């Protein structure tokens, strides 16, 4: 849990580093690598932007234009010396009316704690508030009006999950899972390096100061298959999978083995099906100080049989470090009693 946001950052940075490595002299790669690794503080933004979506039954009721006008963003500032991460999450929903949801979080790596500001609930835009009131029969606004004294405080996400689910979440287990996730990220990054480094130089192009790498359907499927093989019996992965799925490790190993075989068969079918087109173009914008200043991954999927199309871009920008706001103190965190009172207010409002 404590590395939840950092996971995405690490994997995307790894892609950027490895692309630079595969398309530049070794000295340039090592210089870029050192520049990224030595940054004890950094700020990065990530955006997922649909470009074209059609033919998917689950999305038939949604406005295609609204979907392609929507996006998901994450802005993360990381201070490794203080082991603190501050993130801003944004969801923009296109259409009429447009809606924007914004949330923030602090992650304390040394304790595994995640804190969410209560103010996020009080500062929702009018269209979002109206939608939540419609969905909850006005319970949302009613509970907020009865708890205005909590403005400026923070929610301990782990404690809230314990309160809502009634499940005792062991913080030691959470910490262990974070370490397992970090180990999985490291192996994934190294695997990605090996596979991309094995590609022929013709895959890479230098265009107007950028480095472009194109991967076709077969190459993407082979990369996915290599990942499945790598984690077929990886102890960190199996242990984490068992915990999440509520299985014993032997059950998890058996379940993952079955899932792996099924996914590998699907990958074979994907490669053999000439009616399905799949590719991605990765574009890296090098930077002399940061190593990489921008990475764009453009995905393109077409299924002629089902008349499906999906295009989306994933963009990362590495920015100058933005100072992390002052993290909440113990006095700023909602107590269990205050949290219980809010839950009581919700139940009472639902009964009226």
């Amino acid at each position: 849990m404590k590395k939840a946001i950092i996971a995405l950052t690490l994997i995307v940075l790894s892609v950027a580093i490895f692309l630079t490595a595969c398309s530049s002299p070794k000295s340039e790669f090592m210089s870029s690598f050192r520049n990224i690794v030595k940054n004890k503080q950094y700020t990065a933004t990530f955006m997922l932007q649909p470009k074209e979506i059609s033919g998917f039954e689950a999305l038939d009721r949604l406005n295609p234009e609204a979907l392609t006008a929507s996006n998901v963003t994450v802005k993360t500032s990381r201070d490794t010396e203080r082991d603190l991460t501050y993130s801003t999450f944004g969801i923009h929903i296109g259409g009429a009316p447009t809606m924007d949801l914004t949330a923030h979080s602090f992650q304390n790596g040394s304790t595994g704690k995640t804190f969410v500001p209560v103010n996020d609930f009080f500062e929702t835009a009018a269209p979002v508030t109206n939608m939540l009131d419609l969905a909850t029969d006005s319970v949302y606004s009613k509970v907020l009006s009865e708890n205005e004294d909590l403005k400026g405080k923070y929610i301990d996400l782990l404690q809230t999950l314990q309160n809502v689910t009634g499940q005792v979440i062991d913080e030691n287990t959470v910490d262990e899972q974070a370490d397992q996730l970090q180990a999985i990220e490291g192996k994934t990054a190294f695997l990605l390096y090996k596979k991309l480094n094995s590609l022929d130089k013709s895959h890479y192009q230098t265009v107007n100061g950028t480095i472009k790498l194109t991967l076709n359907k077969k190459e993407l499927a082979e990369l996915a298959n290599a990942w499945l093989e790598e984690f077929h019996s990886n102890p960190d992965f199996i242990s984490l999978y068992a915990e999440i799925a509520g299985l014993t490790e032997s059950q998890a190993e058996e379940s993952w083995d079955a899932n792996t075989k099924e996914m590998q068969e699907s990958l074979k079918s994907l490669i053999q099906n000439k009616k399905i087109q799949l590719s991605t173009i990765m574009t890296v914008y090098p930077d002399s100080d940061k190593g990489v200043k921008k990475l764009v991954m453009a995905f393109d999927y077409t299924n002629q049989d089902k008349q499906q199309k999906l295009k989306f871009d994933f963009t990362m920008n590495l920015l100058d470090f933005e100072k992390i706001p002052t993290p909440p103190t113990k006095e700023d965190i909602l107590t269990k009693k205050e949290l219980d009172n809010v839950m009581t207010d919700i139940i009472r409002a639902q009964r009226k």
Side-chain angles (χ1 to χ4, degrees):
M1 181 176 290
K2 73 177 182 180
K3 305 289 185 184
I5 302 304
I6 305 170
L8 183 58
T9 308
L10 289 175
I11 292 174
V12 174
L13 284 176
S14 297
V15 175
I17 293 169
F18 298 147
L19 288 180
T20 305
C22 298
S23 54
S24 306
K26 184 177 180 180
S27 60
E28 282 189 36
F29 161 63
M30 295 306 297
S31 175
S32 297
F33 179 77
R34 284 194 299 270
N35 284 338
I36 291 178
V37 172
K38 75 180 182 183
N39 286 333
K40 302 299 182 181
Q41 299 173 323
Y42 65 83
T43 297
T45 62
F46 308 91
M47 174 181 283
L48 181 65
Q49 176 71 63
K51 296 294 185 179
E52 183 177 355
I53 304 176
S54 62
F56 294 89
E57 189 176 336
L59 303 176
D60 280 349
R61 295 183 181 180
L62 301 178
N63 181 352
E65 293 183 3
L67 285 173
T68 53
S70 303
N71 59 64
V72 178
T73 60
V74 179
K75 185 176 185 178
T76 296
S77 288
R78 171 73 177 151
D79 187 333
T80 57
E81 291 184 339
R82 297 163 66 198
D83 210 358
L84 286 176
T85 305
Y86 180 72
S87 300
T88 300
F89 307 89
I91 299 177
H92 173 73
I93 302 174
T98 59
M99 286 192 290
D100 289 280
L101 290 84
T102 303
H104 306 82
S105 73
F106 282 93
Q107 290 85 41
N108 187 323
S110 61
T111 64
K113 295 281 191 177
T114 299
F115 303 107
V116 177
V118 174
N119 279 353
D120 282 351
F121 296 95
F122 287 94
E123 296 175 358
T124 54
V128 178
T129 301
N130 294 337
M131 180 189 69
L132 291 171
D133 277 342
L134 184 63
T136 63
D137 196 20
S138 297
V139 168
Y140 180 76
S141 289
K142 183 173 178 58
V143 171
L144 289 182
S145 66
E146 293 175 352
N147 291 276
E148 291 200 7
D149 58 315
L150 300 181
K151 286 182 178 180
K153 291 214 165 187
Y154 291 80
I155 296 171
D156 180 333
L157 194 58
L158 189 61
Q159 183 186 59
T160 302
L161 287 173
Q162 291 172 340
N163 226 50
V164 172
T165 64
Q167 178 185 2
V168 177
I169 303 174
D170 181 9
E171 293 185 23
N172 290 331
T173 300
V174 173
D175 189 66
E176 182 182 346
Q177 289 177 353
D179 290 339
Q180 291 167 343
L181 181 59
Q182 192 172 30
I184 292 168
E185 291 163 16
K187 283 186 175 293
T188 298
F190 184 66
L191 173 65
L192 184 63
Y193 167 75
K194 288 195 301 181
K195 294 299 291 184
L196 296 185
N197 194 44
S198 68
L199 293 174
D200 186 86
K201 291 182 180 180
S202 61
H203 286 76
Y204 299 90
Q205 289 182 313
T206 301
V207 182
N208 297 326
T210 67
I211 303 166
K212 289 183 180 289
L213 166 63
T214 302
L215 297 175
N216 60 31
K217 177 176 68 173
K218 184 173 182 292
E219 290 156 347
L220 288 169
E222 288 173 348
L223 181 60
N225 188 67
W227 189 91
L228 290 171
E229 290 289 344
E230 179 72 28
F231 290 98
H232 180 257
S233 58
N234 179 274
D236 287 310
F237 183 86
I238 295 299
S239 179
L240 187 62
Y241 179 64
E243 189 68 32
I244 293 172
L247 303 171
T248 65
E249 292 206 7
S250 60
Q251 290 173 329
E253 194 166 353
E254 183 178 346
S255 172
W256 182 246
D257 182 61
N259 288 335
T260 297
K261 290 178 180 177
E262 184 178 342
M263 286 185 279
Q264 287 177 325
E265 286 301 318
S266 297
L267 289 172
K268 287 181 182 178
S269 299
L270 175 67
I271 294 173
Q272 294 169 357
N273 191 336
K274 296 182 179 180
K275 297 295 183 70
I276 295 179
Q277 307 299 321
L278 176 64
S279 65
T280 184
I281 298 175
M282 303 182 190
T283 304
V284 169
Y285 296 73
D287 183 88
S288 57
D289 295 323
K290 302 182 183 72
V292 172
K293 64 180 177 182
K294 184 177 181 180
L295 166 68
V296 179
M297 300 182 184
F299 293 85
D300 191 343
Y301 168 85
T302 302
N303 187 325
Q304 295 177 7
D305 283 337
K306 297 183 178 181
Q307 295 185 324
Q308 293 176 335
K309 288 188 177 182
L310 174 62
K311 293 183 179 181
F312 65 89
D313 287 353
F314 183 82
T315 304
M316 179 204 77
N317 286 285
L318 200 60
L319 311 175
D320 292 333
F321 177 68
E322 295 183 11
K323 185 178 178 181
I324 295 177
T326 303
T329 63
K330 184 177 180 180
E331 290 71 28
D332 298 325
I333 310 301
L334 283 184
T335 64
K336 188 177 187 305
K337 182 179 180 180
E338 288 172 325
L339 192 56
D340 287 340
N341 288 340
V342 173
M343 297 303 297
T344 299
D345 289 341
I346 294 174
I347 295 171
R348 187 186 301 119
Q350 287 175 327
R351 289 175 177 173
K352 291 183 179 180

